């Protein structure tokens, strides 16, 4: 597509706003003195505010996988057991990483279309004999688009009177969905720059509680680059990053956070829910050939929607038409076991970060046009349904 702006409705990396790109436009940045030093402290402070975390986050150069490894490395003894709650593909990835680090992992699999059932977690924790060191899950699973109710998970752990750490991967949801580290009693949260934070891939964060820091202190040694303690209260600026600061990512993130706080955190979360609701309304009109993977609306992510299309061999054509003729890139399916895999194919619409109604109406309209052009049967009225959701305006997030 060489004319008109290209839209990326992909669940990460997400669209980078022009303001963020402009903020990054520097040939070089002084890492020894000058504005970067203060700006980094301000970025950390605002990230902590967005997460409602008591401490400044540890920022690593790396992608989300790096953030996963940092989190595991700082809390898990080799003889620990981690209980991983799986709702798609991403918590499994985190679990696989822990296993490769030699740590025992136990999985409770909730399938690929439903959220964690807190009652099942409570039952498991009640019969634990002190082996489980941490409970790990994602807030939004980017493959299935399942959203987990994190306070309900905390409540189940409290009901079982279990003192495991609670670790949440918010890589897809941070900056899109409400998160309240202190209010919800979270010990470790992992985020990254390239999704709701609207900044190119390259940095990842660990937000930690006092209890998580105590777990780190109980370990004899942690791989030097990952070690939280090396980065706690650094005497010299470079120690924040165990080396050169990610200068341009920080410049970008500084501007992205300015945008988020200009709009207001609550307004950002409400906008994401609003845009997601418009997508769901459109998909409901496309049924029965197209459906949302997650039936229960309370278990749906505000950042990404996974769709199931009846038949085989059509989603590649659909995405190709949308990208080359319509100018919008849609998300590919991430392979995961699914009960409808024999009869349906998946694709994803990303609606995270720098998105507004016109972009989403354009995306939905392009999908509608592609369905017509490719003679893929579908229900009618999708754009009308989406427009009505937009007309009703965003609803406050409780
Ligand atoms: C994108 C994503 C990851 C992985 O991040 P990378 O930067 O690709 O390593 C992990 N978890 C979730 C929920 C994600 O959306």
């Amino acid at each position: 597509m060489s004319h008109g702006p290209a839209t990326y409705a992909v669940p990460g990396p997400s669209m980078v706003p022009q303001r963020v790109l402009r903020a990054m436009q520097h040939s070089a940045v002084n890492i020894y003195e000058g504005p970067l030093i203060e700006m980094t402290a301000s970025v950390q402070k605002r990230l902590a505010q967005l997460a409602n975390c008591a401490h400044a986050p540890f920022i690593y150069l790396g992608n989300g996988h790096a953030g996963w490894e940092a989190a595991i490395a700082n809390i898990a003894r080799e003889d620990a057991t981690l209980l991983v709650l799986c709702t798609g593909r991403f918590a499994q990835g985190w679990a696989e990483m822990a296993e490769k680090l030699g740590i025992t992992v136990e999985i409770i699999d909730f399938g690929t279309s439903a959220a964690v059932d807190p009652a099942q977690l409570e039952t498991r924790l009640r019969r634990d004999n002190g082996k489980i060191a941490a409970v790990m899950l994602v807030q939004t699973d980017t493959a299935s688009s399942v959203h987990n109710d994190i306070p309900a998970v905390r409540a189940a752990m409290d009901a079982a009177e279990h003192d495991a750490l609670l670790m949440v991967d918010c890589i897809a949801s941070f900056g899109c969905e409400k998160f309240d580290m202190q209010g919800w009693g979270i010990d470790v949260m992992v985020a990254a720059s390239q999704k709701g934070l609207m900044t190119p891939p390259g940095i990842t964060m660990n937000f930690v509680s006092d209890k998580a820091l105590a777990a780190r202190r109980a370990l004899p040694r942690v791989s030097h680059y990952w070690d939280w303690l090396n980065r706690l209260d650094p005497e010299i600026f470079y120690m924040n990053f165990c080396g050169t600061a990610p200068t341009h990512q920080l410049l970008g993130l500084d501007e992205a956070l300015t945008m988020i706080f200009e709009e207001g955190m609550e307004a950002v979360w409400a906008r994401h829910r609003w845009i997601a609701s418009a997508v769901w309304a459109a998909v409901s009109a496309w049924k029965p050939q197209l459906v949302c993977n997650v039936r229960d609306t309370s278990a749906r992510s505000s950042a990404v929607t996974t769709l199931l299309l009846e038949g085989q061999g059509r989603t590649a054509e659909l995405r190709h038409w949308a990208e080359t003729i319509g100018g919008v890139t849609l998300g590919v399916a991430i392979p995961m076991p699914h009960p409808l895999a024999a009869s349906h194919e998946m694709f994803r619409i990303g609606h995270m970060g720098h998105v507004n109604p016109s972009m989403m109406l354009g995306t939905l309209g392009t999908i509608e046009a592609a369905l017509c052009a490719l003679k893929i049967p579908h229900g009618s009225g999708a754009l009308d349904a989406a427009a009505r959701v937009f007309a009703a305006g965003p609803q406050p997030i409780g």
Side-chain angles (χ1 to χ4, degrees), residues 6 8 13-24 193-195 197-201 248-249 252-253 255-256 259 352-355 359:
Y8 289 83
S14 66
M15 301 266 290
V16 179
Q18 290 296 327
R19 277 178 65 176
V20 171
L21 290 171
R22 276 197 299 274
M24 296 175 78
S193 52
Q194 76 271 24
K195 297 186 185 177
L197 295 176
M198 307 182 284
T199 304
H248 288 65
Q249 251 81 21
L253 195 51
E255 186 64 18
M259 291 173 69
M352 45 176 61
H354 192 51
V355 280
M359 286 161 66

Side-chain angles (χ1 to χ4, degrees), residues 70-127:
I72 298 165
N74 277 282
I75 58 97
R77 289 161 43 139
E78 274 198 26
D79 61 354
T81 297
L82 304 178
L83 181 62
V84 184
L85 313 177
C86 294
T87 53
R89 185 66 193 90
F90 281 82
Q92 280 90 335
W94 204 4
E96 286 156 14
M97 179 174 270
E99 277 174 336
K100 285 174 187 151
L101 293 167
I103 296 154
T104 305
V105 166
E106 183 181 318
I107 284 179
I108 310 183
D109 193 347
F110 296 91
T112 47
S113 321
V116 164
D117 170 11
Q120 235 174 294
L121 170 64
E122 187 184 330
T123 305
R124 173 64 192 95
L125 291 177
R126 277 188 190 282
R127 57 178 182 78

Side-chain angles (χ1 to χ4, degrees), residues 340-361:
L340 294 178
S343 56
H344 290 68
E345 278 183 338
M346 290 189 207
F347 68 99
R348 296 177 298 159
I349 301 176
H351 33 87
M352 45 176 61
H354 192 51
V355 280
N356 63 23
S358 99
M359 286 161 66
M360 204 39 66
L361 285 167

